Amino acid sequence: MISILDENFTQLNTFIQKLNPTQLLILVDENTHEFCLPILLGNLETEIPFEIIEIEAGEEMKTLETAAQLWEILTEFKTDRKALMINLGGGVITDMGGFVASTYKRGIKFINIPTTLLGMCDASIGGKTGIDHQFLKNIIGTFAEREEIFVYPDFLKTLPFAQLCSGFAEMLKHGLIADKKHWQDLKNLPELQPENIFPFIETSMKIKENVVQQDFREENIRKTLNFGHTIGHALESLFLKNSTPILHGEAVALGMICETQLSFLQNLLSAEETEEIIAGILKFFPIISIAQFTDNEIVDLMKNDKKNAAGSIKFSLVTSIGKSTFDVSVLPENILQALNFYKNLG
């Protein structure tokens, strides 16, 4: 279930009352601790004991070391299997919190209260939890479904513009792979402001939720959600390794441009729609220089993508706006052409 919270968080309080956990564990980073936790606590109506657990903000925190620290904290709190983890934050918090909750004592219940656009429209949905290891994105993780997602759109007003853009990339992706009208609505927005995006959040969430319900463990159609991510994740990992991290949505936007061109090179997408998609993405996302990375570095990381099979890099590509396919094996020279296409855009 996905619930849009009212001003009093009535749905959340009703849920907690019915579940009646032994303990609440509220996971935050320093940003959500400052801007979002006071709103949550101000509306939380329960006598159930709770603990606040804070980690530093940033993708750099999605590590085994952080997970181990959180497991130790839960042990110190004598957390039992009837406790409830509340993940209050963006994608890092929901990924990390879900992973820790799903593995501690073989699993405790957790809910997600996403505070970023990326968290609302992507990371909090679908039961994928994960951490990075050796600069490889989400290489360790579980499939573990949250009990519920509670969305409070006003949290977006606390976001820096860059974070708003980051989540918007995933919304564009949802339109490109599954809903042409959603893509057109988003593409035609005059500018990225929370009030402009609010009306489309629930649609984007439902697109992803619908795909996930058909294929929870990502054996077929769910792979379409990875459009833009094979190249995007590789470059995101390289920037992270260089200690110059870019936001996930920036990497996905970059990846979608490359993989749109790749769809064209594979004769899956028309020239007209290729041009429309790339122009639509560039309207909101400026070119990021990737000149410091060699083609071999990028391709080597793509070989670690979780969708690969038998040593072959598998892509999820678009066949027209609003339609997509998956498990596409592409010509190696087309990958290089797509990367060079992006480099030449700058």
Side-chain angles (χ1 to χ4, degrees):
M1 283 286 292
I2 297 171
S3 297
I4 307 297
L5 288 169
D6 60 23
E7 291 184 356
N8 300 315
F9 286 32
T10 304
Q11 305 96 316
L12 175 62
N13 286 311
T14 300
F15 171 84
I16 292 174
Q17 183 180 3
K18 287 182 179 179
L19 186 64
N20 194 29
T22 54
Q23 183 185 38
L24 299 176
L25 304 146
I26 305 175
L27 181 65
V28 296
D29 62 27
E30 67 252 43
N31 294 325
T32 54
H33 189 283
E34 179 179 356
F35 296 108
C36 304
L37 183 61
I39 297 172
L40 172 62
L41 295 182
N43 289 286
L44 200 58
E45 298 176 359
T46 181
E47 295 182 358
I48 296 168
F50 66 86
E51 300 284 355
I52 310 298
I53 307 172
E54 180 181 334
I55 64 173
E56 294 180 30
E59 184 74 22
E60 303 93 315
M61 298 307 297
K62 277 178 57 176
T63 63
L64 272 173
E65 290 75 17
T66 304
Q69 290 170 8
L70 294 175
W71 289 320
E72 289 173 12
I73 289 169
L74 297 185
T75 303
E76 290 172 5
F77 288 158
K78 295 181 171 58
T79 299
D80 63 35
R81 293 181 68 183
K82 293 187 177 180
L84 176 68
M85 175 90 78
I86 299 176
N87 299 317
L88 180 68
V92 172
I93 288 292
T94 56
D95 280 359
M96 172 65 72
F99 175 71
V100 169
S102 70
T103 49
Y104 179 76
K105 293 188 175 178
R106 296 194 177 92
I108 62 174
K109 290 182 171 64
F110 66 96
I111 61 174
N112 292 329
I113 307 179
T115 60
T116 66
L117 189 58
L118 180 64
M120 292 176 188
C121 294
D122 184 60
S124 68
I125 305 170
K128 280 185 179 181
T129 78
I131 58 175
D132 306 335
H133 187 57
Q134 294 181 340
F135 305 106
L136 297 174
K137 284 277 296 179
N138 299 323
I139 198 72
I140 299 172
T142 61
F143 284 100
E145 190 64 284
R146 87 285 161 175
E147 299 298 312
E148 188 97 24
I149 300 173
F150 295 96
V151 176
Y152 186 58
D154 277 1
F155 280 147
L156 294 186
K157 295 177 181 178
T158 70
L159 285 183
F161 180 74
Q163 288 287 351
L164 202 65
C165 284
S166 185
F168 191 69
E170 293 286 359
M171 295 180 72
L172 290 175
K173 180 200 73 180
H174 291 154
L176 287 172
I177 66 167
D179 189 327
K180 185 173 183 176
K181 182 180 184 302
H182 190 54
W183 157 260
Q184 291 172 336
D185 288 341
L186 298 176
K187 182 191 70 166
N188 292 330
L189 290 179
E191 58 181 341
L192 295 189
Q193 296 294 337
E195 56 271 20
N196 292 340
I197 297 171
F198 282 167
F200 305 105
I201 291 174
E202 193 167 4
T203 299
S204 214
M205 294 180 76
K206 286 180 177 178
I207 290 171
K208 179 166 183 180
E209 184 83 339
N210 178 56
V211 173
V212 169
Q213 286 175 350
Q214 296 178 63
D215 177 26
F216 180 66
R217 298 195 67 85
E218 198 174 22
E219 295 173 350
N220 43 76
I221 192 172
R222 182 170 180 169
K223 295 177 184 179
T224 59
L225 292 167
N226 289 301
F227 172 62
H229 286 61
T230 302
I231 291 175
H233 269 173
L235 284 158
E236 187 177 1
S237 296
L238 286 169
F239 278 107
L240 186 62
K241 187 176 182 180
N242 274 13
S243 299
T244 56
I246 60 174
L247 294 175
H248 176 70
E250 293 175 323
V252 169
L254 187 167
M256 286 194 296
I257 291 173
C258 292
E259 293 180 24
T260 296
Q261 182 67 12
L262 188 56
S263 300
F264 170 70
L265 293 171
Q266 291 287 130
N267 297 314
L268 297 173
L269 187 66
S270 71
E272 293 77 15
E273 289 199 315
T274 299
E275 185 177 339
E276 177 184 338
I277 293 170
I278 292 172
I281 297 170
L282 288 175
K283 176 181 177 180
F284 302 102
F285 294 90
I287 298 297
I288 297 173
S289 175
I290 59 173
Q292 66 268 45
F293 308 122
T294 67
D295 290 342
N296 284 340
E297 284 180 299
I298 300 170
V299 172
D300 280 347
L301 273 175
M302 287 163 55
K303 290 176 181 176
N304 270 309
D305 192 274
K306 297 180 291 298
K307 300 181 301 302
N308 295 342
S312 175
I313 300 174
K314 301 289 186 180
F315 282 86
S316 298
L317 300 175
V318 286
T319 55
S320 65
I321 296 174
K323 295 182 180 180
S324 53
T325 188
F326 57 90
D327 281 348
V328 181
S329 296
V330 306
L331 297 171
E333 56 266 32
N334 284 348
I335 298 175
L336 300 182
Q337 280 192 51
L339 289 171
N340 286 325
F341 169 82
Y342 183 86
K343 290 176 183 177
N344 291 330
L345 285 175

